[in-house]
Amino acid sequence: MKLFLAKEEGKKSEAKETRMDFEKSSVSIKDDTEMADDDTAQNPESSRKLSSDSDSSDSEDEAEQTQQLRALESDLSTNPSNYDAHILYIKLLRRRGEIEKLREARENMNVLFPLTPAMWVEWAKDEASLLNDSDSESVEKLYERGISEYLSIPLWREYLNYVLQHDPKVCDSSVDGISKARNLFERAVTAAALHVAQGSQIWDAYTQFEQSILLTIDQSDIQAKENQVQRIRSIFHRQLSIPFANMKSTLLSYKAWEVEQGNSLDAESDNVDGISSHVASSYRKAEEMYNARAHLEEHITRQGISESERYQHFMAFEKSVQCTFSTLEEYLDLFLTRVDGLRRRLSSARGDDVLNYSLIRESFQQATDYLSPHLKNTDGLLRLHAYWACLELKLNNNLTAARGVWGSLLKTCGSMLEAWQGFIAMEIALGHINEARAIYKRCYSKRFSGTGSEDICHAWLRFEREFGTLDDLDHAVQKVMPRLEELQLFRLEQESKSLTEVTNQRERPLKKTASEKRKLGSIAIDEQSPAKRQKSTQNQKKLHEKENTRGLKLAEANDGEEKKGKVEEQVNEQLVKDTYSSKTRLYTDQCTAFASNLNIRAIDEDLKQFFSDVGGVTAIRILHDKFTGKSRGLAYVDFKDEEHLAAALAKNKQMLLGKKLSITRSNPKRGKRESGALTTSEHDSNQSGIEGSSASKESVEISKGSSVAPQVPHSRKHFESIQLKGKNTFAVPRNVKPLGWTTSKPGTKKEEDEKPKSNDEFRKMFMTS
């Protein structure tokens, strides 16, 4: 600490002068009075004249200051956002030494504006000059408020110096004091030590503080001294890995310090010879980073350039520095913060100090040019354009420009539903119904992610119900309903493809395994000796005899299974007919709503509670997967009359168990596929036009395996096309025709062979072969 305090001795004198700076005006007046007294003793006549002139001048200055204070107070009472008036008022109160009013003026300004770093330092020094060192906490709070508003190296330096010089524990080098100082230095390093031009000042102060701690350690405590040396060396290593403007100076200081510790280094050379390899590597990388951006840093810090030019250089610098902002969202916040400041200045400007709105537009355009390629279809880019369009309307009163902002966003993010919704919301808020309708016509047929395509269609219908005529609503229905049916069919096709892909993925490993086994078996046979091959042939004959025995048993079983399959097929066909007829009666006699996007945890009681305000619910049927038994998120709800059904349809897109429930009128009469079966003629006639059909979603649910109706084969032609391949034809599915079944057509000579063989005939045929 002694070394550090010795180096700061010059700064102490400056602090003492600053301690009296607040009382400068009163001291100056006192000195003038004493000089006047001396002149009076030497020359009474001239002194009387000078005294009268001085009193007159002081009284005139005080009257002028009083009048100026009143004018500023009146101005601030009517216009509190006048930034320049706050600055002049604080300066005038500080000059007059009115402490209480000065504190109040600073607090009032800080409510509306952030104070500059210089103003925070001035405020802290004024308060420090009025307090003892034992009461330093209030001054430290002022410094804390300042560093929370600005990233300022001078402000951090003043804060650190104040704590090191005025905190009793830190000055005494106590354990608590040293811990407090180190924590403050680490905070300063984290917040400000990456500053390219001035960051090294924080690091230098940190190393000087730790070196002063090293001098206070007892020479006999070798372990403590070694730990402190390692601490100082670690700080140097961290500093050498950061790109600074004076990196060579830091390297020379580090090498000189290592020489003091007894290490052999060339302290006069600015190369990295002699230091550890990892430190040398980090230093070279940091030096390359600085050299690549040194010219940009010079442009930023150069004097005599405009604010706009400095901003352009700063953004060019930030693009080249990867470590400054970790995410694009931070860049977006930077642009928006600048726009916020310009907006406040434009809103509070008076007289000749009117800010040109073009600066705001330029800032938005710069942000868009830089961020659009990286934030396409994101909420951040949407937020930027929405803010821009809002300011074009409110501050610039330019509707055409606001529409242009939304139009440029849609060119980049046309597949983003929220962008269209924001544009529509602006037109509706302005009362431009025709313009909003035109936007709906542009976007209702677009493909959006998730359920966005369905959402925009339903939104158009709601819009026409609220703002349009009956003709407008009819026109929207004619456009939207075919689109909704198309989307529903597309969803079903996607689900079918997904199911097929999952099935294929499950079967592929099994086929691959069987193929590999056959391949390995053939390779093994080829590699066997003749004796082993003969033995293998004998084993295969024995295995073939066993398979023949199993085949006889299977043939007997097939006869019974075939009869059982015919009975089941007849029962299934009758069940489908009964189900179809009952469903037809049900939908004819009752009014049914079809609910989709249902939470899979929902049960009948949840739907009943959901429609409790509507009433008239007579039955609820939630569809379940026939394999897993889980809910498919679809349901039918029956109502006793059209009135209750209409009220239920009005609850479309309302939330149920965290999901928007889609409710439409169930209309199974559109197609015959609801029964889950088609005749052969129906199948053939509909096959060519199935892609263009617009069957409703619920009319296909039964055929997808729901619990409403079972699925049965469409015709027997499917089985006639099956061909058996391979040697083992006994372990075949039940619905495949057994051996002995021929494919001859009726009316041919072999018509009798078309009938399945009996067990005795099959056994004789097998044995003779």
Side-chain angles (χ1 to χ4, degrees), residues 401-428:
R403 288 172 175 168
V405 171
W406 284 111
S408 64
L409 175 63
L410 293 177
K411 290 180 181 179
T412 306
C413 306
S415 60
M416 189 176 182
L417 175 62
E418 292 78 2
W420 293 94
Q421 291 175 333
F423 193 5
I424 293 172
M426 183 193 77
E427 296 292 356
I428 294 177

Side-chain angles (χ1 to χ4, degrees), residues 236-250:
F236 270 119
H237 290 177
R238 291 166 61 189
Q239 184 178 359
L240 290 171
S241 65
I242 300 175
F244 286 130
N246 53 350
M247 293 185 64
K248 293 184 178 180
S249 176
T250 303

Side-chain angles (χ1 to χ4, degrees), residues 655-719:
M655 301 298 294
L656 175 61
L657 299 181
K659 299 187 68 174
K660 288 184 178 180
L661 191 61
S662 179
I663 306 172
T664 58
R665 179 187 294 273
S666 177
N667 188 8
K669 295 181 180 180
R670 293 187 178 181
K672 297 183 179 181
R673 294 184 62 189
E674 182 178 277
S675 62
L678 291 175
T679 63
T680 304
S681 59
E682 289 172 340
H683 176 76
D684 295 338
S685 62
N686 293 336
Q687 185 65 32
S688 60
I690 192 169
E691 289 88 353
S693 65
S694 59
S696 60
K697 193 169 186 178
E698 64 268 23
S699 66
V700 192
E701 295 306 326
I702 301 175
S703 64
K704 291 181 63 181
S706 67
S707 60
V708 176
Q711 192 174 21
V712 296
H714 296 313
S715 66
R716 304 194 63 89
K717 288 185 178 181
H718 173 71
F719 302 113

Side-chain angles (χ1 to χ4, degrees), residues 466-492:
E466 296 176 4
F467 300 100
T469 62
L470 287 177
D471 293 338
D472 295 330
L473 180 58
D474 291 340
H475 178 73
V477 170
Q478 293 175 4
K479 293 287 186 180
V480 166
M481 295 310 296
R483 174 60 176 166
L484 289 175
E485 294 175 354
E486 177 186 354
L487 292 171
Q488 290 174 355
L489 182 60
F490 175 76
R491 303 288 183 199
L492 295 176

Side-chain angles (χ1 to χ4, degrees), residues 130-169:
L130 303 174
L131 301 173
N132 298 324
D133 290 344
S134 58
D135 191 16
S136 61
E137 185 177 355
S138 59
V139 179
E140 293 179 13
K141 289 181 179 180
L142 287 176
Y143 279 115
E144 287 288 344
R145 291 172 61 182
I147 62 177
S148 67
E149 291 189 351
Y150 277 97
L151 174 58
S152 171
I153 303 299
L155 182 58
W156 269 107
R157 284 293 310 275
E158 291 292 341
Y159 185 16
L160 292 168
N161 290 338
Y162 178 81
V163 173
L164 295 175
Q165 295 175 11
H166 296 87
D167 189 288
K169 294 182 180 180

Side-chain angles (χ1 to χ4, degrees), residues 537-703:
T537 304
Q538 294 176 356
N539 292 336
Q540 290 181 359
K541 290 181 178 180
K542 293 180 179 180
L543 180 61
H544 185 62
E545 292 176 357
K546 292 182 179 179
E547 290 180 352
N548 290 341
T549 305
R550 292 173 54 192
L552 293 175
K553 296 180 179 180
L554 181 62
E556 295 177 356
N558 281 341
D559 188 27
E561 291 292 338
E562 182 184 358
K563 295 179 180 180
K564 182 179 179 181
K566 291 182 178 180
V567 174
E568 289 181 354
E569 183 176 352
Q570 294 176 358
V571 172
N572 288 337
E573 292 178 355
Q574 185 62 34
L575 179 60
V576 170
K577 293 178 180 179
D578 295 342
T579 303
Y580 177 71
S581 60
S582 62
K583 283 294 175 184
T584 304
R585 292 195 304 272
L586 180 62
Y587 286 115
T588 303
D589 298 338
Q590 296 184 0
C591 301
T592 305
F594 179 67
S596 59
N597 198 33
L598 181 66
N599 193 312
I600 61 174
R601 298 191 304 270
I603 59 177
D604 293 359
E605 188 63 28
D606 296 326
L607 282 173
K608 185 176 181 181
Q609 183 66 25
F610 179 77
F611 291 108
S612 60
D613 57 338
V614 175
V617 177
T618 60
I620 297 175
R621 300 180 303 286
I622 298 178
L623 305 186
H624 296 81
D625 190 279
K626 71 174 184 179
F627 299 107
T628 64
K630 295 182 179 180
S631 171
R632 300 180 59 193
L634 307 171
Y636 293 95
V637 183
D638 298 336
F639 296 89
K640 62 182 181 179
D641 52 33
E642 283 288 339
E643 182 180 356
H644 290 87
L645 176 60
L649 295 177
K651 294 175 69 66
N652 183 37
K653 294 304 178 182
Q654 294 188 13
M655 301 298 294
L656 175 61
L657 299 181
K659 299 187 68 174
K660 288 184 178 180
L661 191 61
S662 179
I663 306 172
T664 58
R665 179 187 294 273
S666 177
N667 188 8
K669 295 181 180 180
R670 293 187 178 181
K672 297 183 179 181
R673 294 184 62 189
E674 182 178 277
S675 62
L678 291 175
T679 63
T680 304
S681 59
E682 289 172 340
H683 176 76
D684 295 338
S685 62
N686 293 336
Q687 185 65 32
S688 60
I690 192 169
E691 289 88 353
S693 65
S694 59
S696 60
K697 193 169 186 178
E698 64 268 23
S699 66
V700 192
E701 295 306 326
I702 301 175
S703 64

